[in-house]
Amino acid sequence: QVQLVESGGGSVQPGGSLRLSCVASGSISNMYAMGWYRQAPGKQRELVASITSAGNTNYADSVKGRFTCSRDNAKNTVALQMNSLQPEDTAVYFCHARRLVSLVWYDFWGQGTQVTVSS
């Protein structure tokens, strides 16, 4: 079982920046993909960004050019640098990890961290 713990959420004004970090309780080197999802009030959880073990990244169109997802296998961490934040980025952000074992996908989630963008 892998536990994911997020940190770095908070409140910021429009145009500001935040950096989210996620620490895994175990090694992430065998995780196929790690990344971040978010869920705003009354909306479905959506993918924000992901990064594979090969370093390939995928971003939601709404955050391209503003957010950067990175991982450090040696430190068992994945981070999300968020720049030029806008009110529509307000949501609870969840760290996510996916592992493939014997052709079965396993998903792991963090508890979530609140990001609020408001003037």
Side-chain angles (χ1 to χ4, degrees), residues 47-64:
L47 174 69
V48 177
S50 66
I51 182 168
T52 69
S53 56
N56 298 314
T57 54
N58 181 42
Y59 296 94
D61 287 343
S62 60
V63 307
K64 284 180 180 177

Side-chain angles (χ1 to χ4, degrees), residues 29-46:
S29 61
N30 62 349
M31 290 292 181
Y32 171 74
M34 297 193 71
W36 298 87
Y37 283 70
R38 68 186 180 187
Q39 187 166 18
K43 294 188 177 181
Q44 290 188 331
R45 191 173 297 189
E46 62 176 359

Side-chain angles (χ1 to χ4, degrees), residues 75-86:
K75 296 182 179 179
N76 297 330
T77 60
V78 62
L80 184 68
Q81 177 65 41
M82 305 184 293
N83 298 328
S84 301
L85 283 161
Q86 300 301 317

